[in-house]
Amino acid sequence: MSARPVYLNGEWCDTATAQVSVFDRGYLFGDGVYEVIPAFGGQLFGLEPHMDRLSRSLREIGISEPLARQDWQEIFDRLLEDYAGRDAAIYLQVTRGAPVPRDHAWPDPATAPGVMATVSPIGARSDGARAITLPDQRWGRCDIKSINLLPNTMARQKAVEQGVDEAILVRDGLVIEGSATNLFAVIGGRLVTAPTGPQMLAGITRGLLIDLVRREGLVELDESYITVSALRGADEVFLTSSTKDLWPVLEIDGEPVGQGKGAGRPGPVTRHLDGHFQQLKQSQRRPA
């Protein structure tokens, strides 16, 4: 893979030469936050809610904003220079910096935050996902988009080892979300998704879809918890993320989603909502 540009602590380099201090608290403690912002056809999508969530995450863990919005925009524009007409994802990360010596306590006075941003192409989404359910073993502040993702990676690895695409996380018998996705189910004609709160990360695609459904009255929406048994009996299930949009789930724990001839296939509500979401994406593109 060819080297890609990287913005790192005020300087430009690339993925072959970028280096961070071994004392960076992101490396030592997972002490930082991140965002993944999609750009479709070379144009950023959902930028403001992504940046608002970044600001919230920084505020929740006590890191000062390292850059103004306009500074971020200039970085993003440079990263996307080679992606005109192509789909890409910007990854940005902010850590608490690199104080010496290593100490669990936050540095006093605060060190300069560590800032990194890079870009990579978005791969093609498969027609449907297969998933397994697993116990949710994450910490109590999943609403913060922390770079400390060990439980998420362990869950995703278990899914990979079982030959499927995603792990659906369950806490106290209730479905929360995927290891790197949010989850929706169509049950009894209603679109159901877990409510926001400390136990889940409110995805930007999730929020944009909810706003779209409510604004256009596409389907009855219910933000409430789904039991595992209700999930397995759902008519349709799909996942959402910034790089996969609406991703139909065809199978959960080895059993097809849905009933009858449509079982194990993307359902009509999912297809209908995805069509409207694609229209939303197109409407927000700037004219060339």
Side-chain angles (χ1 to χ4, degrees), residues 126 234 258 284:
S126 65
Q284 294 193 13

Side-chain angles (χ1 to χ4, degrees), residues 83-110:
Y83 284 87
R86 294 195 289 158
D87 295 345
I90 286 176
Y91 177 90
L92 68 91
Q93 177 173 298
V94 181
T95 72
R96 207 176 300 276
V100 180
R102 177 186 183 277
D103 188 353
H104 281 65
W106 297 353
D108 183 18

